[in-house]
Amino acid sequence: MTTNTAKFTLRVNEELLKKFRFVADYNARSANRELEILIKKHVAQFEKANGEIKMDEI
């Protein structure tokens, strides 16, 4: 099966990662899914303030 999912490595303090995983678990999500949702919200806020990011401009 072919996927369109990109991989991303994140370096973060161990304590912060443990807390993040706790929050993700509290929300019944994996840490990966929790991060994906936060990224989408951040991009949406950016686009609301600055206009849509055009993929052909990246």
Side-chain angles (χ1 to χ4, degrees), residues 42-54:
H42 186 65
V43 169
Q45 288 175 345
F46 179 90
E47 288 184 322
K48 184 176 181 180
N50 299 287
E52 181 183 356
I53 300 169
K54 307 276 192 233

Side-chain angles (χ1 to χ4, degrees), residues 11-54:
R11 292 177 196 89
V12 65
N13 174 281
E14 187 176 349
E15 182 180 336
L16 181 58
L17 181 57
K18 285 180 180 181
K19 288 180 178 184
F20 183 76
R21 285 183 171 153
F22 180 89
V23 172
D25 188 55
Y26 181 85
N27 290 324
R29 300 182 183 119
S30 67
N32 186 77
R33 183 69 176 137
E34 187 76 15
L35 184 56
E36 182 180 358
I37 288 169
L38 290 173
I39 291 170
K40 285 179 180 180
K41 286 181 180 180
H42 186 65
V43 169
Q45 288 175 345
F46 179 90
E47 288 184 322
K48 184 176 181 180
N50 299 287
E52 181 183 356
I53 300 169
K54 307 276 192 233

